[in-house]
mmCIF file of all heavy atoms in Angstrom:
data_model
loop_
_atom_site.group_PDB
_atom_site.id
_atom_site.type_symbol
_atom_site.label_atom_id
_atom_site.label_comp_id
_atom_site.label_asym_id
_atom_site.label_seq_id
_atom_site.Cartn_x
_atom_site.Cartn_y
_atom_site.Cartn_z
ATOM 1 N N MET A 1 -21.829 43.078 0.025
ATOM 2 C CA MET A 1 -22.017 43.656 1.358
ATOM 3 C C MET A 1 -23.332 43.151 1.943
ATOM 4 O O MET A 1 -24.350 43.120 1.247
ATOM 5 C CB MET A 1 -22.055 45.180 1.253
ATOM 6 C CG MET A 1 -22.218 45.880 2.602
ATOM 7 S SD MET A 1 -22.357 47.678 2.447
ATOM 8 C CE MET A 1 -24.074 47.820 1.930
ATOM 9 N N GLU A 2 -23.290 42.744 3.199
ATOM 10 C CA GLU A 2 -24.526 42.300 3.845
ATOM 11 C C GLU A 2 -25.380 43.513 4.189
ATOM 12 O O GLU A 2 -24.950 44.413 4.904
ATOM 13 C CB GLU A 2 -24.217 41.489 5.105
ATOM 14 C CG GLU A 2 -25.459 40.856 5.695
ATOM 15 C CD GLU A 2 -25.160 39.770 6.701
ATOM 16 O OE1 GLU A 2 -23.987 39.374 6.809
ATOM 17 O OE2 GLU A 2 -26.109 39.318 7.373
ATOM 18 N N MET A 3 -26.602 43.523 3.673
ATOM 19 C CA MET A 3 -27.498 44.663 3.834
ATOM 20 C C MET A 3 -28.407 44.526 5.051
ATOM 21 O O MET A 3 -28.758 45.508 5.694
ATOM 22 C CB MET A 3 -28.375 44.808 2.588
ATOM 23 C CG MET A 3 -27.606 45.032 1.306
ATOM 24 S SD MET A 3 -27.086 46.731 1.144
ATOM 25 C CE MET A 3 -28.634 47.474 0.624
ATOM 26 N N ASP A 4 -28.808 43.298 5.337
ATOM 27 C CA ASP A 4 -29.771 43.096 6.422
ATOM 28 C C ASP A 4 -29.779 41.629 6.798
ATOM 29 O O ASP A 4 -29.305 40.757 6.050
ATOM 30 C CB ASP A 4 -31.168 43.549 5.978
ATOM 31 C CG ASP A 4 -32.117 43.778 7.152
ATOM 32 O OD1 ASP A 4 -31.697 43.599 8.302
ATOM 33 O OD2 ASP A 4 -33.284 44.145 6.903
ATOM 34 N N GLN A 5 -30.350 41.354 7.970
ATOM 35 C CA GLN A 5 -30.465 39.988 8.475
ATOM 36 C C GLN A 5 -31.559 39.989 9.527
ATOM 37 O O GLN A 5 -31.563 40.832 10.418
ATOM 38 C CB GLN A 5 -29.123 39.562 9.082
ATOM 39 C CG GLN A 5 -29.124 38.159 9.630
ATOM 40 C CD GLN A 5 -27.799 37.818 10.302
ATOM 41 O OE1 GLN A 5 -27.806 37.166 11.326
ATOM 42 N NE2 GLN A 5 -26.683 38.259 9.730
ATOM 43 N N TRP A 6 -32.504 39.080 9.398
ATOM 44 C CA TRP A 6 -33.592 39.031 10.376
ATOM 45 C C TRP A 6 -34.187 37.628 10.413
ATOM 46 O O TRP A 6 -33.992 36.823 9.497
ATOM 47 C CB TRP A 6 -34.664 40.071 10.043
ATOM 48 C CG TRP A 6 -35.505 39.805 8.828
ATOM 49 C CD1 TRP A 6 -36.739 39.215 8.782
ATOM 50 C CD2 TRP A 6 -35.173 40.118 7.458
ATOM 51 N NE1 TRP A 6 -37.197 39.149 7.491
ATOM 52 C CE2 TRP A 6 -36.266 39.706 6.660
ATOM 53 C CE3 TRP A 6 -34.072 40.715 6.827
ATOM 54 C CZ2 TRP A 6 -36.273 39.843 5.269
ATOM 55 C CZ3 TRP A 6 -34.077 40.861 5.448
ATOM 56 C CH2 TRP A 6 -35.174 40.431 4.686
ATOM 57 N N THR A 7 -34.902 37.329 11.487
ATOM 58 C CA THR A 7 -35.506 36.015 11.637
ATOM 59 C C THR A 7 -36.983 36.063 11.279
ATOM 60 O O THR A 7 -37.652 37.086 11.462
ATOM 61 C CB THR A 7 -35.353 35.491 13.073
ATOM 62 O OG1 THR A 7 -35.943 36.421 13.981
ATOM 63 C CG2 THR A 7 -33.888 35.293 13.423
ATOM 64 N N VAL A 8 -37.487 34.941 10.770
ATOM 65 C CA VAL A 8 -38.900 34.811 10.415
ATOM 66 C C VAL A 8 -39.383 33.433 10.858
ATOM 67 O O VAL A 8 -38.601 32.487 10.973
ATOM 68 C CB VAL A 8 -39.133 34.977 8.896
ATOM 69 C CG1 VAL A 8 -38.807 36.385 8.444
ATOM 70 C CG2 VAL A 8 -38.317 33.958 8.098
ATOM 71 N N ASP A 9 -40.663 33.326 11.121
ATOM 72 C CA ASP A 9 -41.288 32.039 11.426
ATOM 73 C C ASP A 9 -42.032 31.580 10.176
ATOM 74 O O ASP A 9 -43.064 32.150 9.815
ATOM 75 C CB ASP A 9 -42.249 32.169 12.603
ATOM 76 C CG ASP A 9 -41.527 32.460 13.913
ATOM 77 O OD1 ASP A 9 -40.558 31.729 14.216
ATOM 78 O OD2 ASP A 9 -41.918 33.416 14.617
ATOM 79 N N LEU A 10 -41.474 30.567 9.516
ATOM 80 C CA LEU A 10 -42.101 30.052 8.304
ATOM 81 C C LEU A 10 -43.212 29.071 8.658
ATOM 82 O O LEU A 10 -43.091 28.284 9.603
ATOM 83 C CB LEU A 10 -41.054 29.356 7.422
ATOM 84 C CG LEU A 10 -39.901 30.237 6.907
ATOM 85 C CD1 LEU A 10 -38.927 29.391 6.088
ATOM 86 C CD2 LEU A 10 -40.434 31.393 6.068
ATOM 87 N N LYS A 11 -44.281 29.132 7.886
ATOM 88 C CA LYS A 11 -45.415 28.220 8.054
ATOM 89 C C LYS A 11 -45.517 27.338 6.819
ATOM 90 O O LYS A 11 -45.003 27.687 5.748
ATOM 91 C CB LYS A 11 -46.708 29.018 8.252
ATOM 92 C CG LYS A 11 -46.712 29.862 9.531
ATOM 93 C CD LYS A 11 -47.976 30.684 9.654
ATOM 94 C CE LYS A 11 -48.037 31.400 11.007
ATOM 95 N NZ LYS A 11 -46.861 32.231 11.264
ATOM 96 N N PRO A 12 -46.174 26.197 6.910
ATOM 97 C CA PRO A 12 -46.314 25.332 5.734
ATOM 98 C C PRO A 12 -47.002 26.076 4.588
ATOM 99 O O PRO A 12 -47.972 26.807 4.793
ATOM 100 C CB PRO A 12 -47.182 24.177 6.245
ATOM 101 C CG PRO A 12 -46.953 24.159 7.722
ATOM 102 C CD PRO A 12 -46.778 25.588 8.111
ATOM 103 N N GLY A 13 -46.452 25.915 3.384
ATOM 104 C CA GLY A 13 -47.026 26.571 2.217
ATOM 105 C C GLY A 13 -46.278 27.841 1.855
ATOM 106 O O GLY A 13 -45.091 27.994 2.136
ATOM 107 N N THR A 14 -46.997 28.769 1.259
ATOM 108 C CA THR A 14 -46.397 30.010 0.767
ATOM 109 C C THR A 14 -46.313 31.062 1.866
ATOM 110 O O THR A 14 -47.286 31.309 2.582
ATOM 111 C CB THR A 14 -47.213 30.566 -0.414
ATOM 112 O OG1 THR A 14 -47.232 29.597 -1.469
ATOM 113 C CG2 THR A 14 -46.597 31.856 -0.934
ATOM 114 N N ASN A 15 -45.139 31.664 1.994
ATOM 115 C CA ASN A 15 -44.912 32.721 2.974
ATOM 116 C C ASN A 15 -44.514 33.997 2.236
ATOM 117 O O ASN A 15 -43.534 34.009 1.483
ATOM 118 C CB ASN A 15 -43.784 32.342 3.938
ATOM 119 C CG ASN A 15 -44.111 31.138 4.797
ATOM 120 O OD1 ASN A 15 -44.533 31.261 5.937
ATOM 121 N ND2 ASN A 15 -43.901 29.934 4.242
ATOM 122 N N LYS A 16 -45.275 35.048 2.446
ATOM 123 C CA LYS A 16 -44.964 36.349 1.845
ATOM 124 C C LYS A 16 -44.225 37.189 2.894
ATOM 125 O O LYS A 16 -44.788 37.536 3.930
ATOM 126 C CB LYS A 16 -46.241 37.068 1.415
ATOM 127 C CG LYS A 16 -47.055 36.328 0.352
ATOM 128 C CD LYS A 16 -46.386 36.420 -1.014
ATOM 129 C CE LYS A 16 -47.275 35.824 -2.106
ATOM 130 N NZ LYS A 16 -46.652 35.926 -3.445
ATOM 131 N N ILE A 17 -42.986 37.516 2.601
ATOM 132 C CA ILE A 17 -42.149 38.263 3.546
ATOM 133 C C ILE A 17 -41.856 39.644 2.969
ATOM 134 O O ILE A 17 -41.430 39.761 1.820
ATOM 135 C CB ILE A 17 -40.823 37.522 3.807
ATOM 136 C CG1 ILE A 17 -41.088 36.122 4.349
ATOM 137 C CG2 ILE A 17 -39.940 38.318 4.766
ATOM 138 C CD1 ILE A 17 -39.841 35.257 4.427
ATOM 139 N N GLU A 18 -42.109 40.665 3.756
ATOM 140 C CA GLU A 18 -41.762 42.025 3.358
ATOM 141 C C GLU A 18 -40.864 42.641 4.419
ATOM 142 O O GLU A 18 -41.081 42.460 5.612
ATOM 143 C CB GLU A 18 -43.018 42.883 3.157
ATOM 144 C CG GLU A 18 -43.822 42.493 1.935
ATOM 145 C CD GLU A 18 -44.883 43.531 1.579
ATOM 146 O OE1 GLU A 18 -45.103 44.455 2.414
ATOM 147 O OE2 GLU A 18 -45.464 43.447 0.497
ATOM 148 N N ARG A 19 -39.882 43.359 3.966
ATOM 149 C CA ARG A 19 -38.923 43.980 4.882
ATOM 150 C C ARG A 19 -38.511 45.329 4.301
ATOM 151 O O ARG A 19 -38.041 45.410 3.166
ATOM 152 C CB ARG A 19 -37.701 43.075 5.029
ATOM 153 C CG ARG A 19 -36.593 43.627 5.904
ATOM 154 C CD ARG A 19 -36.868 43.456 7.371
ATOM 155 N NE ARG A 19 -35.654 43.639 8.171
ATOM 156 C CZ ARG A 19 -35.589 43.497 9.483
ATOM 157 N NH1 ARG A 19 -36.678 43.169 10.167
ATOM 158 N NH2 ARG A 19 -34.459 43.672 10.123
ATOM 159 N N ASN A 20 -38.697 46.392 5.081
ATOM 160 C CA ASN A 20 -38.331 47.734 4.639
ATOM 161 C C ASN A 20 -36.853 48.003 4.888
ATOM 162 O O ASN A 20 -36.273 47.488 5.854
ATOM 163 C CB ASN A 20 -39.171 48.780 5.375
ATOM 164 C CG ASN A 20 -40.636 48.680 5.013
ATOM 165 O OD1 ASN A 20 -40.982 48.641 3.840
ATOM 166 N ND2 ASN A 20 -41.500 48.625 6.011
ATOM 167 N N SER A 21 -36.256 48.809 4.044
ATOM 168 C CA SER A 21 -34.829 49.113 4.172
ATOM 169 C C SER A 21 -34.519 49.771 5.509
ATOM 170 O O SER A 21 -33.476 49.503 6.113
ATOM 171 C CB SER A 21 -34.380 50.016 3.021
ATOM 172 O OG SER A 21 -35.126 51.223 2.994
ATOM 173 N N TYR A 22 -35.418 50.621 6.006
ATOM 174 C CA TYR A 22 -35.141 51.315 7.260
ATOM 175 C C TYR A 22 -35.291 50.409 8.476
ATOM 176 O O TYR A 22 -34.995 50.820 9.600
ATOM 177 C CB TYR A 22 -36.026 52.555 7.406
ATOM 178 C CG TYR A 22 -37.511 52.315 7.315
ATOM 179 C CD1 TYR A 22 -38.224 51.815 8.401
ATOM 180 C CD2 TYR A 22 -38.208 52.604 6.148
ATOM 181 C CE1 TYR A 22 -39.584 51.600 8.330
ATOM 182 C CE2 TYR A 22 -39.577 52.387 6.059
ATOM 183 C CZ TYR A 22 -40.263 51.886 7.147
ATOM 184 O OH TYR A 22 -41.613 51.665 7.067
ATOM 185 N N GLU A 23 -35.741 49.153 8.265
ATOM 186 C CA GLU A 23 -35.819 48.186 9.366
ATOM 187 C C GLU A 23 -34.517 47.413 9.550
ATOM 188 O O GLU A 23 -34.400 46.623 10.491
ATOM 189 C CB GLU A 23 -36.944 47.186 9.106
ATOM 190 C CG GLU A 23 -38.336 47.767 9.152
ATOM 191 C CD GLU A 23 -39.397 46.720 8.878
ATOM 192 O OE1 GLU A 23 -39.539 46.303 7.709
ATOM 193 O OE2 GLU A 23 -40.071 46.312 9.837
ATOM 194 N N SER A 24 -33.554 47.606 8.668
ATOM 195 C CA SER A 24 -32.305 46.846 8.735
ATOM 196 C C SER A 24 -31.687 46.917 10.122
ATOM 197 O O SER A 24 -31.613 47.991 10.732
ATOM 198 C CB SER A 24 -31.306 47.368 7.698
ATOM 199 O OG SER A 24 -30.036 46.756 7.884
ATOM 200 N N ILE A 25 -31.225 45.790 10.603
ATOM 201 C CA ILE A 25 -30.621 45.734 11.931
ATOM 202 C C ILE A 25 -29.268 46.420 11.982
ATOM 203 O O ILE A 25 -28.723 46.638 13.065
ATOM 204 C CB ILE A 25 -30.449 44.279 12.403
ATOM 205 C CG1 ILE A 25 -29.624 43.497 11.389
ATOM 206 C CG2 ILE A 25 -31.788 43.627 12.655
ATOM 207 C CD1 ILE A 25 -29.240 42.121 11.853
ATOM 208 N N TYR A 26 -28.730 46.782 10.831
ATOM 209 C CA TYR A 26 -27.402 47.381 10.795
ATOM 210 C C TYR A 26 -27.420 48.902 10.746
ATOM 211 O O TYR A 26 -26.373 49.528 10.848
ATOM 212 C CB TYR A 26 -26.625 46.867 9.581
ATOM 213 C CG TYR A 26 -26.544 45.372 9.489
ATOM 214 C CD1 TYR A 26 -26.652 44.719 8.267
ATOM 215 C CD2 TYR A 26 -26.364 44.605 10.632
ATOM 216 C CE1 TYR A 26 -26.575 43.340 8.186
ATOM 217 C CE2 TYR A 26 -26.293 43.228 10.562
ATOM 218 C CZ TYR A 26 -26.389 42.596 9.333
ATOM 219 O OH TYR A 26 -26.320 41.239 9.259
ATOM 220 N N VAL A 27 -28.559 49.511 10.541
ATOM 221 C CA VAL A 27 -28.582 50.947 10.278
ATOM 222 C C VAL A 27 -29.357 51.710 11.343
ATOM 223 O O VAL A 27 -30.183 51.148 12.063
ATOM 224 C CB VAL A 27 -29.194 51.252 8.892
ATOM 225 C CG1 VAL A 27 -28.438 50.530 7.795
ATOM 226 C CG2 VAL A 27 -30.680 50.900 8.847
ATOM 227 N N VAL A 28 -29.047 52.980 11.404
ATOM 228 C CA VAL A 28 -29.780 53.906 12.280
ATOM 229 C C VAL A 28 -30.069 55.173 11.483
ATOM 230 O O VAL A 28 -29.384 55.476 10.513
ATOM 231 C CB VAL A 28 -28.969 54.257 13.547
ATOM 232 C CG1 VAL A 28 -28.813 53.049 14.446
ATOM 233 C CG2 VAL A 28 -27.621 54.861 13.185
#
């Protein structure tokens, strides 16, 4: 099941991405 989907702007090198469950575009 798809839980979430979002866009990010990646920069050269290491990218640390954090995303909270309540931010999911599918839920309210």
Side-chain angles (χ1 to χ4, degrees):
M1 181 183 78
E2 188 165 350
M3 300 280 282
D4 198 1
Q5 180 184 141
W6 71 96
T7 57
V8 294
D9 292 310
L10 298 178
K11 296 177 174 55
T14 300
N15 296 263
K16 298 286 187 179
I17 302 171
E18 290 192 350
R19 177 80 164 183
N20 294 310
S21 58
Y22 56 79
E23 293 180 287
S24 172
I25 56 172
Y26 306 141
V27 303
V28 293

